[in-house]
Amino acid sequence: MQNRETAAVGSAQDAAPLSGDALEAVLVAELGDALVTRSADIDPRYFTAYNEPAGVRPRALVRPRGVDDVSRTLALCARLGQPVVPQGGLTGLARGAVALGGEIVLSMERFAGIDTLDAAAGTMTVRAGTPLQTVQEAAEAAGFTFGVDLGARGSCQIGGMLATNAGGTRAIRYGMMREQVLGLEAVLADGTVVSSMNRMLKNNAGYDLKQLFIGSEGTLGVVTRAVLRLHPLLAAPATALCRVRDYDAVAGLWNRMRTLPEVVSFEAMWPSFYDYVAHHTPGVAAPFAGDGGFAVLIECATSAPGGDAHHALETGLAAGIDAGLVEDAVLATSERQARDLWTLREGLAIDALPHLVNFDVSLPTGELGAFAERCEAALRARWPDVTCLFFGHVGDGNVHIGVSLAGMTDADVDALDHCVYAVVRDMGGSVSAEHGIGALKRPYLAHTRSDAEIGLMRRLKTALDPHDILNPGKVL
Amino acid sequence: MQNRETAAVGSAQDAAPLSGDALEAVLVAELGDALVTRSADIDPRYFTAYNEPAGVRPRALVRPRGVDDVSRTLALCARLGQPVVPQGGLTGLARGAVALGGEIVLSMERFAGIDTLDAAAGTMTVRAGTPLQTVQEAAEAAGFTFGVDLGARGSCQIGGMLATNAGGTRAIRYGMMREQVLGLEAVLADGTVVSSMNRMLKNNAGYDLKQLFIGSEGTLGVVTRAVLRLHPLLAAPATALCRVRDYDAVAGLWNRMRTLPEVVSFEAMWPSFYDYVAHHTPGVAAPFAGDGGFAVLIECATSAPGGDAHHALETGLAAGIDAGLVEDAVLATSERQARDLWTLREGLAIDALPHLVNFDVSLPTGELGAFAERCEAALRARWPDVTCLFFGHVGDGNVHIGVSLAGMTDADVDALDHCVYAVVRDMGGSVSAEHGIGALKRPYLAHTRSDAEIGLMRRLKTALDPHDILNPGKVL
């Protein structure tokens, strides 16, 4: 046994895969007992995607404590030809961070924490396993705001957010994760550590390598550390909910509101979505419930000393009312009320719908209304009793769809995917706005990207990970 | 002759290079007379870098009229093993768009113009050869602002600005060119057209391929077209010049001013620079001339209806004075006065200094003061009579240095480079903030990037351009 292991460690990637026992023994021997969990001992949370039943048990779990551990693990796996799934907080929605069969899982949860915060430069250096909320709180304590916020803030990790280029509710103000990163450190499939920890807003010295690892979902390298940029601290926000007649008025209101530098979020709820959450969110009194209009949540905030986000929002809404775009509006008068409005928008209530399937797509903002109509018509033509709930960030072209159908079968799920993504393709949109491709949307990548684009992606994958060790079966 | 050409066209890249005549004949035969200019007929402007004497005459000049022309040219050059220099408006400062010897030049100047402007989405689709000013004016006519501005706006082209990730004076508000692009079309070294013309702010469907071509200076592909994002139209700006005691006060003032959402530019002039331009800019009455302090130019502007950038700037400056950061300030009361302040900052007056050498480096904003001191001390230790003038964008960590020395020799120029870039390296800065590497800074890339980073850049270059056809001798 010992001989066989040693031989395997020294051999090329083409060697026959090790048995489970042999693999565990090699991992323990080379990486140490403290880093490795044997397959049988892995807690199901390491192989359970968000809101899904437990999936495939990985062959082993490795939890590195530092960059060197990541490098040694990947170098070993490259020698063994052993596929690896990099894993963050497992809050992704595209099944991108779980094993599909035959992989080990590399969880970054132990490599967490903030290395430094440079207040003069407005930057923070963090480790991949750090939860978003930790970053947000540290930024605020130092007088800064971090640019990305999303519901999973307590569990999602910076490394995973970078690997998936996470978006959220503030992208119209600050951009997605890609725009928050000045420098990045990543480990390649062969164990090479590429440290590109730039701290400047402007740096044009050679290729911007960090871009390779942002949004490529762990298929080109494992993100280990990042230099994040921080923004001036926002004072308490002003939040309002507006009633808007139709989607054209929503788009018109957005084009008006986006001129205000204080706007942080602009979130729209289609009538059917709003009607549902208004009636099924316990403890929240929903304004305009049952009116049958669109509801738009707008949040304004400013970092300017003496700035008045409430005044800006009120002025903007008054202009919207004068222009006939807004029919009615409610301004939150307390933090509690603002939270209630966000609770409606987050729409966790719809999770109770039977057999819910979620979509995350994007189109230019002005085309989202027509998209929703075409999409619902296509679904209803095949499933007359389908429930389609549209809601989303809208200001950045991103809409989510909750589709529910009593007695939905697996074949129905596939047919639903086909139906929705065909409309996205025909209108020139994206099958993934912010959730990534993972394993879930892989069959639909070609709906959004051309053969030439996918060919170039493969060329990059081959150049960086020739033996397909990193997150195989994801994205491509 | 004809036979040899035909053979060469069909042969691999390893064939012996064609003679000049044979190459011209093949280019004309395959691409047509209208696209090709023979070497002897090329106007010197196609081989003259900005502010430099005429350089190496290219073997031919090809000026495509469309993407298909670019594709056919590159496919042909790939077959011939013929190196190509992609060329925009030739306003770059790193000698990145001129031939070094043996290349043909591919000028994009004929593929110019705006394809579409989508006001509802706030996007514009443009061709690579379009001058920046054309884009700015079209954006303004439709009620939008384009996010990048720089002095060469009349001549620089969008393709070149993307290839070099151009920066300029508004990066603190809108980012560099990279942040202005939603979609991109590029042609690979083998002639493959990769069209990735995404129109959405959020799109996480697979790898973000456009990032490969932005800032890689034409070494990985030729940018042919882009979808640019537009920002709400800014009203007329408010401009002020402040007198500030020392660099720490400049950095403190920046940290205060950056909280104002109206700030578009924050530009600092070190005392020696300001003193020089104040006394050598004809027709401009410079405030605080001879005071010996730093001068900071601040510009504020807003897109908010009824917004008041003047009030915001005045309030910010008053707070700066109260905090002891600003000693004196002048607000421009006319467009003419504002332009005069910008004329001082642009500092064209220093071009008259003998043997001027320019630098463009970056460090975190808080460290630029110490950098300037160390840099000047290092230069003065070797050349006691050197003139060092520091100025730059500062809010984004970018400083320019004009170094002048009477009777400077070529050996002095090399020694100056060594001296300045050694200080940048020792302080962890970048040898190129916004100008790129080109041919000029290539010897210093390793001052800023590690062996692992340069190794990964080479891996990308080999994957995308295995025969080193695209802009050889630049960047890497």
Side-chain angles (χ1 to χ4, degrees):
Chain A
M1 189 77 162
Q2 188 62 42
N3 279 347
R4 200 190 146 190
E5 284 152 24
T6 313
V9 172
S11 72
Q13 288 81 357
D14 309 314
L18 294 181
S19 73
D21 285 351
L23 175 68
E24 289 174 352
V26 174
L27 290 171
V28 168
E30 296 257 335
L31 303 174
D33 221 4
L35 296 196
V36 181
T37 306
R38 288 164 201 274
S39 185
D41 301 333
I42 301 174
D43 187 289
R45 74 185 171 94
Y46 294 99
F47 50 93
T48 305
Y50 183 78
N51 250 351
E52 294 194 20
V56 179
R57 184 174 284 274
R59 301 190 81 199
L61 168 68
V62 177
R63 289 182 295 160
R65 291 216 170 90
V67 181
D68 183 57
D69 290 342
V70 177
S71 170
R72 288 190 303 129
T73 305
L74 291 184
L76 175 61
C77 288
R79 292 209 309 279
L80 296 172
Q82 171 57 50
V84 178
V85 179
Q87 190 174 87
L90 274 165
T91 59
L93 296 170
R95 223 175 278 164
V98 288
L100 302 178
E103 305 97 326
I104 71 163
V105 160
L106 183 74
S107 164
M108 297 303 291
E109 66 186 6
R110 282 176 172 168
F111 190 55
I114 292 158
D115 284 341
T116 55
L117 190 152
D118 179 345
T123 62
M124 187 194 287
T125 305
V126 301
R127 300 170 178 192
T130 314
L132 169 59
Q133 196 169 333
T134 305
V135 167
Q136 291 174 328
E137 287 168 2
E140 275 167 37
F144 293 96
T145 288
F146 183 65
V148 169
D149 189 29
L150 41 80
R153 65 186 73 80
S155 342
C156 66
Q157 297 171 9
I158 292 296
M161 294 178 72
L162 288 166
T164 57
N165 187 27
T169 53
R170 291 174 168 184
I172 53 172
R173 173 77 162 258
Y174 298 118
M176 300 176 78
M177 277 303 280
R178 192 180 297 280
E179 283 77 39
Q180 318 308 318
V181 192
L182 299 179
L184 201 74
E185 181 183 73
V187 182
L188 303 184
D190 62 5
T192 306
V193 179
V194 181
S195 191
S196 221
M197 297 290 272
N198 165 61
R199 302 171 295 152
M200 285 79 74
L201 271 182
K202 272 187 181 164
N203 184 350
N204 271 339
Y207 303 168
D208 191 358
L209 298 172
K210 64 176 179 284
Q211 308 294 350
L212 285 171
F213 307 106
I214 301 171
S216 55
E217 305 184 40
T219 62
L220 298 179
V222 178
V223 172
T224 50
R225 219 190 292 257
V227 182
L228 303 173
R229 67 185 286 197
L230 304 175
H231 301 277
L233 185 63
L234 293 176
T239 312
L241 193 78
C242 319
R243 192 193 180 288
V244 178
R245 192 179 53 254
D246 55 25
Y247 187 79
D248 283 349
V250 173
L253 182 60
W254 163 241
N255 273 330
R256 196 169 273 264
M257 295 303 291
R258 73 184 295 229
T259 63
L260 306 181
E262 293 87 359
V263 174
V264 177
S265 301
F266 186 93
E267 307 274 318
M269 295 170 260
W270 268 249
S272 54
F273 175 93
Y274 188 66
D275 190 57
Y276 188 89
V277 297
H279 289 101
H280 294 85
T281 306
V284 174
F288 332 123
D291 278 9
F294 281 72
V296 177
L297 192 163
I298 305 175
E299 192 160 284
C300 286
T302 181
S303 58
D308 189 343
H310 282 84
H311 177 72
L313 180 53
E314 278 174 43
T315 310
L317 289 176
I321 290 171
D322 287 349
L325 298 167
V326 175
E327 301 193 327
D328 200 355
V330 174
L331 268 113
T333 54
S334 68
E335 229 179 279
R336 167 69 199 269
Q337 245 189 318
R339 211 166 43 238
D340 282 354
L341 296 179
W342 273 107
T343 300
L344 292 168
R345 157 58 189 81
E346 279 162 9
L348 292 179
I350 75 168
D351 285 350
L353 282 165
H355 305 281
L356 185 73
V357 178
N358 288 300
F359 294 90
D360 158 57
V361 304
S362 60
L363 279 127
T365 300
E367 300 172 29
L368 282 177
F371 165 74
E373 283 175 20
R374 277 180 67 170
C375 190
E376 181 158 356
L379 290 167
R380 208 165 290 291
R382 172 141 178 194
W383 299 277
D385 298 329
V386 74
T387 302
C388 300
L389 308 178
F390 294 84
F391 62 110
H393 310 300
V394 173
D396 49 39
N398 182 186
V399 72
H400 299 298
I401 319 165
V403 180
S404 162
L405 189 67
M408 193 187 301
T409 63
D410 282 355
D412 282 328
V413 174
D414 282 346
L416 276 177
D417 281 357
H418 274 289
C419 190
V420 171
Y421 293 136
V423 180
V424 172
R425 179 194 56 208
D426 294 348
M427 293 185 69
S430 171
V431 298
S432 180
E434 59 179 7
H435 294 170
I437 295 294
L440 210 57
K441 297 187 180 181
R442 195 173 155 230
Y444 300 98
L445 182 62
H447 277 52
T448 293
R449 309 297 294 266
S450 68
D451 288 351
E453 289 179 279
I454 294 173
L456 182 52
M457 290 182 209
R458 283 194 199 286
R459 213 195 278 203
L460 287 174
K461 175 71 173 170
T462 304
L464 268 76
D465 180 20
H467 303 292
D468 204 13
I469 299 292
L470 283 174
N471 223 4
K474 312 290 166 56
V475 185
L476 290 171
Chain B
M1 190 76 160
Q2 189 60 41
N3 280 347
R4 195 188 150 196
E5 282 150 25
T6 314
V9 172
S11 73
Q13 290 79 359
D14 308 315
L18 293 181
S19 72
D21 284 351
L23 174 69
E24 288 173 353
V26 175
L27 290 171
V28 168
E30 297 257 333
L31 302 174
D33 221 5
L35 296 196
V36 180
T37 306
R38 288 163 200 277
S39 185
D41 301 333
I42 301 174
D43 188 289
R45 73 185 171 94
Y46 294 99
F47 50 93
T48 305
Y50 183 78
N51 250 352
E52 294 194 20
V56 179
R57 184 175 283 273
R59 300 191 81 199
L61 168 68
V62 177
R63 288 182 296 160
R65 291 215 171 91
V67 181
D68 183 56
D69 290 342
V70 177
S71 171
R72 288 190 303 129
T73 306
L74 291 183
L76 174 62
C77 289
R79 291 209 310 279
L80 297 172
Q82 171 57 50
V84 178
V85 179
Q87 190 173 86
L90 275 164
T91 60
L93 297 169
R95 222 175 278 163
V98 288
L100 302 178
E103 305 97 325
I104 70 162
V105 159
L106 183 73
S107 165
M108 297 302 291
E109 66 186 6
R110 282 177 173 168
F111 190 54
I114 293 159
D115 284 340
T116 56
L117 190 151
D118 179 345
T123 61
M124 188 195 286
T125 304
V126 301
R127 300 170 177 192
T130 314
L132 170 59
Q133 196 169 333
T134 305
V135 168
Q136 291 175 327
E137 287 169 1
E140 276 167 36
F144 293 96
T145 289
F146 183 65
V148 168
D149 189 30
L150 41 79
R153 64 185 73 80
S155 345
C156 65
Q157 297 171 8
I158 292 296
M161 293 178 73
L162 288 165
T164 56
N165 187 26
T169 54
R170 291 174 168 184
I172 53 172
R173 173 79 161 257
Y174 297 117
M176 301 176 79
M177 278 302 282
R178 191 180 298 279
E179 283 77 39
Q180 317 309 318
V181 192
L182 298 179
L184 201 75
E185 182 184 72
V187 182
L188 303 185
D190 61 6
T192 306
V193 179
V194 181
S195 190
S196 220
M197 297 291 271
N198 165 61
R199 301 171 297 152
M200 285 79 73
L201 271 182
K202 273 186 179 166
N203 185 349
N204 272 340
Y207 304 168
D208 191 359
L209 298 172
K210 66 176 178 284
Q211 307 295 347
L212 284 170
F213 307 106
I214 302 171
S216 55
E217 305 184 40
T219 61
L220 298 179
V222 178
V223 172
T224 50
R225 218 190 291 257
V227 182
L228 302 174
R229 67 185 287 199
L230 304 175
H231 301 277
L233 185 63
L234 294 176
T239 311
L241 193 79
C242 319
R243 192 195 181 286
V244 178
R245 192 179 52 253
D246 55 26
Y247 187 78
D248 283 349
V250 173
L253 182 61
W254 162 241
N255 274 330
R256 195 169 273 264
M257 294 304 289
R258 73 184 293 229
T259 63
L260 305 181
E262 293 86 0
V263 174
V264 177
S265 301
F266 186 93
E267 307 273 318
M269 295 170 259
W270 269 249
S272 53
F273 175 93
Y274 189 67
D275 190 58
Y276 188 89
V277 296
H279 289 101
H280 294 86
T281 306
V284 174
F288 332 124
D291 277 10
F294 281 73
V296 177
L297 191 164
I298 305 176
E299 193 160 284
C300 285
T302 181
S303 58
D308 189 344
H310 283 85
H311 178 72
L313 181 53
E314 278 174 42
T315 310
L317 289 175
I321 291 171
D322 287 349
L325 297 168
V326 175
E327 299 193 328
D328 201 353
V330 174
L331 269 112
T333 54
S334 68
E335 231 181 278
R336 165 71 200 268
Q337 245 189 319
R339 211 167 42 239
D340 281 355
L341 296 179
W342 274 108
T343 300
L344 292 169
R345 157 59 189 82
E346 279 162 8
L348 292 178
I350 74 169
D351 285 350
L353 282 165
H355 304 282
L356 184 73
V357 178
N358 287 301
F359 295 89
D360 158 57
V361 303
S362 61
L363 280 127
T365 301
E367 300 172 30
L368 282 177
F371 165 75
E373 284 176 19
R374 276 179 68 170
C375 190
E376 181 158 359
L379 289 167
R380 207 165 291 292
R382 173 141 176 194
W383 299 278
D385 297 328
V386 73
T387 302
C388 300
L389 307 179
F390 295 84
F391 62 111
H393 310 299
V394 172
D396 50 38
N398 182 186
V399 72
H400 298 298
I401 319 165
V403 181
S404 162
L405 188 67
M408 193 188 302
T409 63
D410 282 355
D412 281 328
V413 174
D414 282 345
L416 276 177
D417 281 356
H418 274 289
C419 190
V420 170
Y421 292 135
V423 179
V424 172
R425 179 193 58 208
D426 294 348
M427 292 184 71
S430 170
V431 298
S432 179
E434 58 179 8
H435 293 170
I437 295 296
L440 209 58
K441 297 187 179 182
R442 196 172 154 232
Y444 300 98
L445 182 62
H447 277 52
T448 292
R449 308 299 294 266
S450 67
D451 288 351
E453 289 178 280
I454 294 172
L456 182 52
M457 290 182 210
R458 282 194 199 286
R459 215 195 278 203
L460 287 174
K461 174 72 173 169
T462 304
L464 268 76
D465 180 19
H467 303 292
D468 204 13
I469 299 292
L470 283 174
N471 223 3
K474 311 289 165 58
V475 185
L476 290 171

